[in-house]
């Protein structure tokens, strides 16, 4: 499957299978959200949580997709945490965050989601972000637009920082330099924009930009599985996704900026103090 020009994929079939699986895994997440005594472990010594639901949902998605499409590959948050390599090749590859916003899930704060994308020849082809607690299903297929619960969505089109509602995150890293950069950016932006918000989930922040509820989002320290679906959903909704310093996004660089217009993306990139986390 490495000859991309010759490759013909029936993406509708991929989409139908993944949508069904995502909805049923969403029910599992929803049924466990209000239980405040979840089994929680900490990954990588940071305040980076994983629950048995993250692991179970990733397993269910990978098993279901493998059964339907045996030659497809996977990059899953929990598989990578357990030692698998985040290898993005030309083969059809599903990029999975089983529970994006795990910290929210642990606290029963109803802003977490499944984020799943299919890349074919390294091109985002399908993107789904599903928050089962709020019943928000964001979907996109390449070239077919972006949707929220089946209704077409578009970005706000906002061009000026002075008119913008910006999503930014505090993250889970305890690195003092990263903390300094986050606070510096908060200080710089606060007097210049309408407002700053943080939902605690990269995917949901990107979904807010896609549906025009927010105008831009940036973050340092995310991973490819946090942003893979959001990238397609924002671009199919008419927005842009770039590197926070400007220029093309590098999906393994752990840096992202999504915006409702190229003009806003560039203005924001110019303002930001930059931070370069260790790559995936
Ligand atoms: C989370 C991201 C969020 C970021 C957190 C964490 P997880 O992903 O969605 O944007 O600030 O540090 O990376 O761990 O909940 O899948």
């Amino acid at each position: 499957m490495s000859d991309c020009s010759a490759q013909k994929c029936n993406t509708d079939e991929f989409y139908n299978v993944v949508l069904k699986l995502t909805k049923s895994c969403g029910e599992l997440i929803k049924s466990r959200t209000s239980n405040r005594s979840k089994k929680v472990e900490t990954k990588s010594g940071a305040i980076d949580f994983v629950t048995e639901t993250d692991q179970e949902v990733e397993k269910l998605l990978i098993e279901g997709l493998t059964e339907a499409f045996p030659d497809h590959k996977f990059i899953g948050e929990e598989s990578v945490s357990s030692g698998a390599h985040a290898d993005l090749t030309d083969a059809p590859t599903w990029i999975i965050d089983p529970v994006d916003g795990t910290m929210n899930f642990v606290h029963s704060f109803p802003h977490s989601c499944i984020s799943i994308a299919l890349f074919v020849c390294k091109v985002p082809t399908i993107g789904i972000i599903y928050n089962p607690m709020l019943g928000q299903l964001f979907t996109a297929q390449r070239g077919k637009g972006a949707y929220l619960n089946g209704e077409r969505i578009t970005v706000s089109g906002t061009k000026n920082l002075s008119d913008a509602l910006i999503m930014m995150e505090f993250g889970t890293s305890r690195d003092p330099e990263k903390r300094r950069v986050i606070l510096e950016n908060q200080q710089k932006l606060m007097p210049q924009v309408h407002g700053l918000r943080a939902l605690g989930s990269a995917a949901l922040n990107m979904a807010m930009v896609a549906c025009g509820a927010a105008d831009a989002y940036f973050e340092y320290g995310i991973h490819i599985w946090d942003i893979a679906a959001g990238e397609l959903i924002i671009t199919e909704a008419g927005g842009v996704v770039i590197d926070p310093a400007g220029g093309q996004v590098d999906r393994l660089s752990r840096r992202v900026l999504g915006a409702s217009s190229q003009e806003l993306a560039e203005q924001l990139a110019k303002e930001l103090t930059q931070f370069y986390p260790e790559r995936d």
Side-chain angles (χ1 to χ4, degrees), residues 77-278:
E77 175 173 17
E78 305 317 331
S79 317
V80 172
S81 297
S82 314
H85 193 56
D87 204 12
L88 185 58
T89 64
D90 286 344
T93 303
W94 295 95
I95 303 179
I96 303 173
D97 190 339
V99 182
D100 188 50
T102 301
M103 173 80 78
N104 289 345
F105 177 68
V106 166
H107 287 269
S108 306
F109 185 69
H111 294 275
S112 7
C113 61
I114 296 173
S115 171
I116 183 162
L118 176 68
F119 277 53
V120 181
C121 294
K122 301 191 185 78
V123 174
T125 303
I126 291 173
I128 297 180
I129 294 173
Y130 182 38
N131 177 347
M133 281 67 70
L134 300 185
Q136 294 175 327
L137 176 68
F138 296 88
T139 55
Q141 288 190 78
R142 188 164 197 81
K144 295 185 179 175
Y147 297 82
L148 167 56
N149 296 337
E151 300 280 325
R152 188 97 186 222
I153 51 173
T154 57
V155 293
S156 66
T158 299
K159 290 185 170 49
N160 294 315
L161 208 49
S162 56
D163 297 324
L165 185 65
I166 308 280
M167 317 292 302
M168 64 179 287
E169 286 291 337
F170 307 99
T172 52
S173 157
R174 291 296 184 254
D175 177 347
E177 175 58 9
K178 185 178 172 199
R179 199 166 58 215
R180 188 192 66 74
V181 170
I182 290 171
L183 293 177
E184 189 169 305
N185 282 326
Q186 194 182 18
Q187 290 244 332
K188 269 197 213 172
L189 292 174
M190 255 165 66
Q192 294 193 58
V193 300
H194 273 185
L196 299 173
R197 299 285 183 271
L199 276 186
S201 151
L204 289 175
N205 289 332
M206 293 178 94
M208 290 304 108
V209 174
C211 71
D215 303 301
Y217 156 69
F218 70 94
E219 188 166 355
Y220 308 125
I222 41 73
H223 296 272
I224 187 170
W225 46 80
D226 297 310
I227 59 167
E231 178 186 338
L232 184 65
I233 295 172
I234 288 184
T235 53
E236 284 296 321
V240 297
V241 176
I242 65 168
D243 180 82
Q248 212 183 335
V249 68
D250 172 350
R251 299 171 185 120
L252 295 172
S253 70
R254 307 189 55 203
R255 296 161 44 84
V256 74
L257 188 163
S260 62
S261 66
Q262 186 66 34
E263 291 90 334
L264 180 61
E266 284 170 14
Q267 273 182 42
L268 181 56
K270 260 192 218 129
E271 284 302 314
L272 292 176
T273 300
Q274 300 295 323
F275 182 78
Y276 293 85
E278 216 174 287

